[in-house]
Amino acid sequence: MPSTVKYTGIPNFRRYTSIALVVFVLFAFTGCGTKRKVYKPNKKVIEFDENTVVNPAKLAYTPLKYQAEPEMRAVWLTTIYGLDWPKTRGTSAQVQEKQREEFRKIIAELKQANFNTVFLQVRLRGDLLYPSALEPQADILTGSTVAPNYDPLAFAIEECHKRGIALHAWIVTYPLGRREQVNKLGARGVAKRHPNWVVQHNGEYYLNPGLPEVRSYLTSLVSDLISRYNVDGIHFDYIRYPEKAGSFRDDNTYQQYRKPGQSKAAWREANINQLLSDVAVTVERIRPTVLISATPLGRYREIPGKKYTGWTAKESVHQDPKAWFRQKSIDFVVPMMYYKNELFDPYIRDWKEQMNGGIVIPGLGAYRTQDNSNWNCQTIEQQITLLRQEGLKGVCFYRQENIRGTHKNLYNIVCQAFTFPVRPLPFFERTAPLPSMPIFQYCEIVKDTLILSWLPSKANDGTTSYNLFFNLYDKNGNPGEDYLLAPSIRGNQYRIPLAIFPKSGKIHFRLEAANAFNHVGRASLPLVIDLKHKSFT
């Protein structure tokens, strides 16, 4: 797991810097009172009948002036031992409502800090966060075999999506835990049902990666998961051989399944490659919009000339991410870069070079600022800066507890790095139709809230999301820069507190639709709100 190896809301305008003076003038608007007001502009492009609306392609169109680079801003949210969530467990309705409230607070804080991706641990050690006929449900929620009174994964997906955060299901692949865990799961556990699939190694139980039956079983878990839940991705952790892999007892499996002349190291790499390939085929068949990722060790390989050797993905645990990209089995990797200085900088550059265009989202060891590693929080700040300088497309933190607001120094560093919301990272290796240009439908002011609504995109397949922009015009009527107000809106309505708008003047809203891979279509025509005259055009 990403661990120590031996890691809908309105943006927080108080943290905006370059537009703070523009936006913060904005908290005095109270002129709408509490009476419900509905304004409908005259232009057909806003008040329309879908069958007779003027073709937007024939209307004047101005592209967005938005320069910020998309990136993935992610965190691992750990459920094993309740490390991140849940902090409480029990069977009563009150306790389980408290669990849900804990999760809402976590996601709200991540949204406030402009995160856009959560890797939620849904398979722990041969048990699942959610109910399934394939494996037992983990007791982390109730402390017993009694099932919770809600579906935690369905709940988590809904809470993330309503805030514009993607949820990737984090699966611990091969480890099944110690004997106590295996015994606790009993007859429903895979180790008891299929003992011949299991290898005991250094006091732990592992599924044997070399067995075709194991690959089929793990693929069936993915099939069941994506068939029943609207997750945005599948994220494989511990998709590797264990520490001290040389003594991992799979000689008989190797002799049975190896190709002629194939070394044991090459055979082991091929086993992991084949699992990811099988999963990719299954995802393409069932829900082709699901992204696939994996988290290898932080150092891909031993770099010639570097004095540090050992504990690398390729040489130590038989992971070959180059092959995963080459066979198009994954969309991105999240290496566990829980190092610093000479163990970090050169290996970041090596990932970039070796992956040859494949998306690398480095995982940073935020936990090291709070354990006996005694890292200075500025180390994380410097690492984020380096990743951006090297042109990498995002960052992930291990783990959520370590970056929460109670750890103010690190939390403030993360918030500063993520001052503005950004579009989520697009995956251009994957293809899907672009959504049609959105069209604003109507606006309402209800008490102290502005409500914007639009027609769902004609390419809406259940995965379409919307990015909402605003543009403040100056007193001479000249347009400023477009600012992203809310990324990844699910649905076709958004509510905005009136207090964030200036008391008078014009605001232009624009909207763009994105598909499951975050490819954006053509932005809408402007919706202009004249606050001085209380009119929309």
Side-chain angles (χ1 to χ4, degrees):
M1 63 183 287
S3 62
T4 55
V5 177
K6 290 221 192 184
Y7 165 59
T8 43
I10 302 300
N12 183 352
F13 285 102
R14 288 176 293 180
R15 291 190 289 101
Y16 275 40
T17 54
S18 66
I19 63 167
L21 293 178
V22 176
V23 176
F24 261 27
V25 176
L26 313 183
F27 286 94
F29 180 71
T30 58
C32 290
T34 59
K35 185 179 179 180
R36 180 185 180 95
K37 298 180 181 180
V38 180
Y39 298 110
K40 292 190 176 182
N42 294 324
K43 290 186 179 179
K44 289 184 177 180
V45 73
I46 297 183
E47 184 185 27
F48 66 92
D49 180 306
E50 185 177 4
N51 297 316
T52 60
V53 63
V54 174
N55 182 354
K58 296 180 180 179
L59 299 174
Y61 177 80
T62 304
L64 283 168
K65 298 182 295 182
Y66 181 70
Q67 305 302 323
E69 290 292 326
E71 64 180 2
M72 179 177 287
R73 298 167 172 180
V75 65
W76 281 292
L77 206 164
T78 313
T79 58
I80 194 168
Y81 313 128
L83 289 177
D84 292 326
W85 180 74
K87 296 296 187 184
T88 56
R89 66 180 73 179
T91 57
S92 72
Q94 293 85 352
V95 166
Q96 291 177 39
E97 177 54 34
K98 185 176 180 181
Q99 289 173 357
R100 291 192 289 269
E101 187 56 31
E102 288 173 357
F103 190 87
R104 291 186 190 103
K105 288 181 179 178
I106 288 171
I107 300 305
E109 185 174 71
L110 291 172
K111 180 63 178 179
Q112 185 78 357
N114 288 321
F115 279 78
N116 57 27
T117 306
V118 164
F119 299 120
L120 176 66
Q121 190 176 33
V122 301
R123 187 173 191 250
L124 290 69
R125 295 292 185 272
D127 50 357
L128 304 172
L129 184 67
Y130 56 94
S132 171
L134 300 181
E135 286 190 333
Q137 188 166 12
D139 64 4
I140 193 62
L141 293 155
T142 65
S144 70
T145 56
V146 175
N149 61 15
Y150 68 102
D151 185 326
L153 181 52
F155 163 76
I157 292 168
E158 180 181 3
E159 292 299 317
C160 285
H161 284 180
K162 73 170 58 172
R163 294 171 177 84
I165 293 176
L167 186 145
H168 295 235
W170 162 14
I171 292 173
V172 175
T173 312
Y174 297 121
L176 299 175
R178 294 186 174 274
R179 182 181 298 276
E180 296 83 359
Q181 170 69 5
V182 168
N183 290 340
K184 182 176 70 173
L185 297 182
R188 284 199 62 203
V190 64
K192 292 294 180 71
R193 287 184 286 123
H194 301 285
N196 57 318
W197 292 1
V198 176
V199 176
Q200 294 186 53
H201 176 77
N202 289 346
E204 304 259 354
Y205 289 73
Y206 296 87
L207 290 171
N208 186 347
L211 292 173
E213 299 91 336
V214 166
R215 292 195 292 273
S216 177
Y217 176 72
L218 291 170
T219 303
S220 72
L221 287 175
V222 173
S223 174
D224 173 65
L225 174 60
I226 65 174
S227 297
R228 298 194 293 124
Y229 294 97
N230 186 29
V231 295
D232 300 286
I234 299 295
H235 180 66
F236 287 101
D237 177 26
Y238 221 118
I239 188 162
R240 55 183 167 95
Y241 282 78
E243 293 182 68
K244 301 179 181 178
S247 60
F248 188 77
R249 295 193 296 272
D250 60 353
D251 286 343
N252 291 338
T253 313
Y254 169 59
Q255 293 300 329
Q256 182 177 359
Y257 292 106
R258 70 182 177 91
K259 295 179 180 178
Q262 189 177 35
S263 70
K264 195 170 190 180
W267 172 75
R268 283 176 167 177
E269 285 183 8
N271 294 332
I272 296 173
N273 298 351
Q274 188 61 54
L275 171 60
L276 286 171
S277 179
D278 293 347
V279 167
V281 169
T282 297
V283 168
E284 180 65 26
R285 175 175 54 84
I286 298 175
R287 273 191 62 211
T289 55
V290 172
L291 296 168
I292 304 172
S293 62
T295 178
L297 296 190
R299 290 181 288 154
Y300 170 60
R301 56 163 191 156
E302 294 185 3
I303 300 177
K306 295 293 179 183
K307 63 180 179 179
Y308 298 98
T309 59
W311 200 236
T312 59
K314 188 168 178 62
E315 290 91 357
S316 302
V317 295
H318 309 293
Q319 294 174 313
D320 186 10
K322 286 179 72 171
W324 306 345
F325 279 120
R326 187 170 60 247
Q327 67 190 19
K328 299 186 183 302
S329 296
I330 64 169
D331 297 288
F332 61 101
V333 290
V334 191
M336 297 179 285
M337 300 294 300
Y338 307 156
Y339 314 104
K340 63 179 180 177
N341 301 332
E342 66 272 18
L343 285 176
F344 185 87
D345 298 19
Y347 293 92
I348 281 291
R349 297 184 178 103
D350 190 58
W351 275 109
K352 181 180 172 182
E353 177 184 347
Q354 296 299 314
M355 295 306 100
N356 192 30
I359 294 176
V360 179
I361 308 295
L364 305 188
Y367 70 93
R368 290 193 181 273
T369 65
Q370 295 150 37
D371 69 2
N372 57 12
S373 302
N374 293 318
W375 280 17
N376 190 300
C377 291
Q378 275 64 46
T379 298
I380 300 297
E381 183 177 29
Q382 293 161 4
Q383 291 180 346
I384 295 171
T385 298
L386 177 66
L387 303 184
R388 287 173 169 170
Q389 289 172 347
E390 291 295 325
L392 296 178
K393 303 299 184 182
V395 62
C396 185
F397 298 95
Y398 185 79
R399 54 186 172 80
Q400 181 272 330
E401 171 71 23
N402 301 109
I403 60 160
R404 66 182 309 179
T406 51
H407 303 290
K408 291 191 179 300
N409 289 340
L410 185 54
Y411 180 74
N412 289 340
I413 284 172
V414 173
C415 288
Q416 185 65 33
F418 297 166
T419 299
F420 296 94
V422 292
R423 291 184 180 108
L425 184 67
F427 292 86
F428 292 116
E429 292 296 317
R430 302 286 292 274
T431 59
L434 282 180
S436 60
M437 187 178 92
I439 300 173
F440 283 107
Q441 186 175 12
Y442 68 89
C443 307
E444 288 183 273
I445 291 177
V446 180
K447 294 185 178 179
D448 57 355
T449 301
L450 171 66
I451 304 172
L452 302 181
S453 296
W454 52 89
L455 265 186
S457 168
K458 292 180 181 178
N460 190 0
D461 58 358
T463 65
T464 301
S465 61
Y466 301 89
N467 301 319
L468 180 63
F469 295 81
F470 73 95
N471 188 318
L472 296 174
Y473 276 45
D474 65 24
K475 61 182 180 181
N476 298 317
N478 299 314
E481 183 178 352
D482 293 300
Y483 291 104
L484 180 58
L485 179 65
S488 302
I489 302 169
R490 310 280 179 132
N492 63 326
Q493 187 180 92
Y494 196 73
R495 295 170 176 262
I496 311 168
L498 284 169
I500 71 169
F501 298 133
K503 194 170 183 179
S504 62
K506 292 183 178 180
I507 299 179
H508 287 211
F509 286 99
R510 301 285 296 278
L511 191 71
E512 63 184 11
N515 63 22
F517 305 125
N518 303 320
H519 308 160
V520 297
R522 194 179 186 189
S524 72
L525 296 168
L527 167 62
V528 183
I529 302 179
D530 187 333
L531 295 172
K532 181 177 181 180
H533 298 99
K534 308 290 193 305
S535 65
F536 299 174
T537 55

